[in-house]
Amino acid sequence: MREYLLVLMVAAVITYAATPLLRAIAVKTGAFTPVRDRDVHSAPIPRLGGVAIFLGFAASMLAASHLPRLGQVFETGPELKGVLWGAALVCLVGAVDDIHELDPLTKLGGQMIAAGFMAFQGVQLFSLPLGGVTVLPAPVMVALTVLTVLVMTNAVNFIDGLDGLAAGVVGIAASSFFVYSYLISRNYDPPNVFSSATFISAALIGCCLGFLPHNFHPARLFMGDSGALLLGLLLAAATISTTGSVTPTDVSTNELTATLLPLVVPTAIILLPLVDVVLAVVRRTRAGQRPWQPDAKHLHHRMLQIGHGHRRAVMLLWLWAAVAALGSVSFVFLQAGVAAAAVVGVVVVAIVLTVWLPRWSRPRQPRVLS
């Protein structure tokens, strides 16, 4: 655990320290997010924050490679190097888009190349825990890997609409993956808590923690596409590494639980971004628009519309992300009844806060005396 804490701290410190430098570069290069109809900020804000996040991740990887136990993970194969190069490529594509707007197909092409590179370096789904261990033909597994990366990079990009929202949601998801991967691998025979998935999750937590102080409302710097695509790719890498290495018996000895949870948990951990992207695609296609055509009807827009302020909307969405992510993980390590009761209780609290806080905080109209 101490090595993971060191990795987390290195990622957080380097990301935090590099962010002001990237803000200065963004200002000089004119990398600003303009005020658009769908945006909630009232003045242009510099972006390129994703490059600082990449520097934090790269620094954490350098530190981990020199540690006695985590260093062994780097010697088992090229997977982590594939993640680093894939992250560099997708961050570069996003940075170019932050400075000079790219068309959606060009960005999609860059994401596919980064995902394909990672897959051929070993970061891919070798099997699926479908009622056991299901192995599909290699081309199918590579295609599923690339699809997973594309969905998650764009899901994170879609929710990046309020200050601190994407970094917080990804940080919560990474924390859940860390707990899930760490505790499951502790039960292996022999136990081995050092893995690519757990390392990526720890580094990702640190990157998000280091960036959030600069990005929480009012943000001094946006992560831009360089950050949203990067966080999505790293989250996908953790998801793929975890799902591809976990067997149902690692999760539970109960047959039904072992069948459902290996697929339910990774999906629930990233549920909030997935719900937002699915709703956006359905909404836009039904309206005769292209799926990537932006609008102002995302989940965070709706939170503002029902009366929540900027910070409160972000923290409530963080709460909902935590309910889905940590709630699903709790079923792996707690008794089903205890986990269900805890999840139901937190869901009730989240519903009350989401629905009633705008009413409680609304100023009362003074009574008019006749």
Side-chain angles (χ1 to χ4, degrees):
M1 180 62 79
R2 286 180 294 180
E3 292 191 5
Y4 284 123
L5 288 175
L6 177 60
V7 163
L8 189 154
M9 291 176 61
V10 169
V13 170
I14 298 301
T15 302
Y16 180 83
T19 300
L21 173 63
L22 267 299
R23 186 184 188 281
I25 294 174
V27 171
K28 288 186 178 181
T29 57
F32 283 87
T33 299
V35 180
R36 299 160 295 192
D37 292 339
R38 67 180 187 275
D39 293 324
V40 298
H41 58 282
S42 57
I45 304 293
R47 46 194 181 188
L48 277 182
V51 180
I53 295 173
F54 173 76
L55 293 176
F57 179 76
S60 71
M61 183 169 283
L62 178 63
S65 66
H66 290 85
L67 295 175
R69 292 190 175 92
L70 271 176
Q72 298 175 12
V73 178
F74 290 80
E75 298 173 359
T76 59
E79 291 90 349
L80 285 177
K81 291 182 180 178
V83 173
L84 180 63
W85 285 107
L89 177 57
V90 82
C91 183
L92 176 62
V93 172
V96 173
D97 181 69
D98 289 340
I99 300 172
H100 306 289
E101 292 278 348
L102 296 176
D103 63 273
L105 291 180
T106 300
K107 287 194 291 185
L108 184 65
Q111 296 168 44
M112 293 181 68
I113 294 172
F117 183 83
M118 287 201 311
F120 286 108
Q121 290 295 313
V123 186
Q124 63 171 280
L125 295 166
F126 293 103
S127 63
L128 293 176
L130 297 172
V133 178
T134 302
V135 179
L136 299 175
V140 176
M141 301 306 290
V142 170
L144 287 175
T145 299
V146 173
L147 179 62
T148 300
V149 174
L150 292 180
V151 169
M152 295 188 68
T153 52
N154 287 284
V156 174
N157 200 17
F158 273 36
I159 65 167
D160 184 27
L162 294 180
D163 299 352
L165 178 58
V169 168
V170 171
I172 291 167
S175 300
S176 303
F177 269 121
F178 179 85
V179 172
Y180 181 59
S181 177
Y182 185 91
L183 293 182
I184 283 180
S185 59
R186 199 170 60 176
N187 297 325
Y188 289 168
D189 186 20
N192 180 20
V193 297
F194 297 98
S195 65
S196 299
T198 316
F199 161 73
I200 295 170
S201 300
L204 196 49
I205 296 168
C207 291
C208 293
L209 290 177
F211 186 68
L212 267 173
H214 300 283
N215 187 236
F216 198 60
H217 185 73
R220 296 186 292 275
L221 179 72
F222 289 162
M223 67 173 63
D225 275 17
S226 59
L229 299 181
L230 172 63
L231 291 182
L233 179 134
L234 293 178
L235 194 57
T239 306
I240 291 164
S241 298
T242 303
T243 306
S245 62
V246 169
T247 62
T249 54
D250 295 328
V251 178
S252 176
T253 56
N254 179 277
E255 184 176 351
L256 179 61
T257 304
T259 301
L260 296 176
L261 286 183
L263 287 177
V264 170
V265 171
T267 304
I269 286 175
I270 55 170
L271 185 61
L272 187 70
L274 286 179
V275 168
D276 197 26
V277 74
V278 169
L279 290 177
V281 170
V282 172
R283 179 176 65 246
R284 293 167 186 175
T285 52
R286 288 182 63 182
Q289 301 174 334
R290 295 175 179 176
W292 56 81
Q293 189 170 341
D295 58 28
K297 297 180 181 179
H298 289 284
L299 294 177
H300 53 270
H301 291 120
R302 297 184 184 278
M303 293 292 284
L304 297 176
Q305 290 167 4
I306 64 177
H308 294 290
H310 195 123
R311 291 189 177 189
R312 193 166 69 196
V314 169
M315 288 188 285
L316 283 172
L317 288 171
W318 286 354
L319 175 60
W320 280 109
V323 169
L326 296 174
S328 64
V329 172
S330 69
F331 280 90
V332 180
F333 307 106
L334 299 176
Q335 292 182 357
V338 175
V343 170
V344 170
V346 179
V347 166
V348 170
V349 172
I351 291 174
V352 170
L353 292 176
T354 302
V355 174
W356 288 99
L357 268 182
R359 302 182 185 183
W360 290 337
S361 59
R362 190 176 300 153
R364 295 183 178 181
Q365 296 294 330
R367 301 176 101 186
V368 180
L369 299 177
S370 57

